[in-house]
Amino acid sequence: MYAIIKTGGKQYRVCVGDKLKVESLEAEVGSQITLTEVLAVAGEDGLKVGAPVLEGASVTATVLSHGRGEKVRIFKFRRRKHSMKSGGHRQNYTELKIEAIAA
């Protein structure tokens, strides 16, 4: 059984027991959260697809940690102009463990 959820502007395919890193969420470490934006659920009785979300479907997850991702280097260069600009970015994330999928 798997579900397709939407959080932080991105879509994820999740199964029970999966660990995934999503955009930063306001939740304490160790707490349980419920994700209600479920786009599709596949199980033994087939695939159920919402338009755009499934009513009554939810995914329960436990917050494992908060952190920051790898640094992305940004380098802008204009040839023959003696113009260079360097920077970087680290995105915040929340690590979740999927506990249950309710259709």
Side-chain angles (χ1 to χ4, degrees), residues 24 27 30 33-34 46-47 63 82 92 95:
S24 185
I33 61 169
T34 302
L47 178 68
V63 177
H82 196 66
N92 295 327
E95 189 173 10

Side-chain angles (χ1 to χ4, degrees), residues 7-61:
T7 179
K10 298 176 180 67
Q11 297 175 6
Y12 302 94
R13 181 185 187 269
V14 296
C15 298
V16 175
D18 283 354
K19 293 180 183 177
L20 70 145
K21 293 179 180 177
V22 299
E23 296 291 321
S24 185
L25 298 172
E26 295 293 327
E28 296 293 323
V29 174
S31 66
Q32 291 225 340
I33 61 169
T34 302
L35 304 168
T36 57
E37 284 196 81
V38 179
L39 305 177
V41 174
E44 297 158 357
D45 55 341
L47 178 68
K48 295 179 188 172
V49 180
V53 295
L54 280 172
E55 297 297 325
S58 64
V59 173
T60 305

Side-chain angles (χ1 to χ4, degrees), residues 33-99:
I33 61 169
T34 302
L35 304 168
T36 57
E37 284 196 81
V38 179
L39 305 177
V41 174
E44 297 158 357
D45 55 341
L47 178 68
K48 295 179 188 172
V49 180
V53 295
L54 280 172
E55 297 297 325
S58 64
V59 173
T60 305
T62 303
V63 177
L64 296 179
S65 65
H66 297 288
R68 300 191 70 187
E70 293 294 318
K71 179 172 266 194
V72 177
R73 300 296 303 161
I74 301 163
F75 186 76
K76 295 184 179 182
F77 178 79
R78 293 180 182 91
R79 63 183 185 156
R80 300 188 302 268
K81 306 294 184 199
H82 196 66
S83 174
M84 291 179 279
K85 185 176 180 181
S86 179
H89 176 75
R90 291 181 70 188
Q91 186 68 33
N92 295 327
Y93 69 83
T94 299
E95 189 173 10
L96 302 176
K97 182 176 183 195
I98 305 300
E99 301 293 336

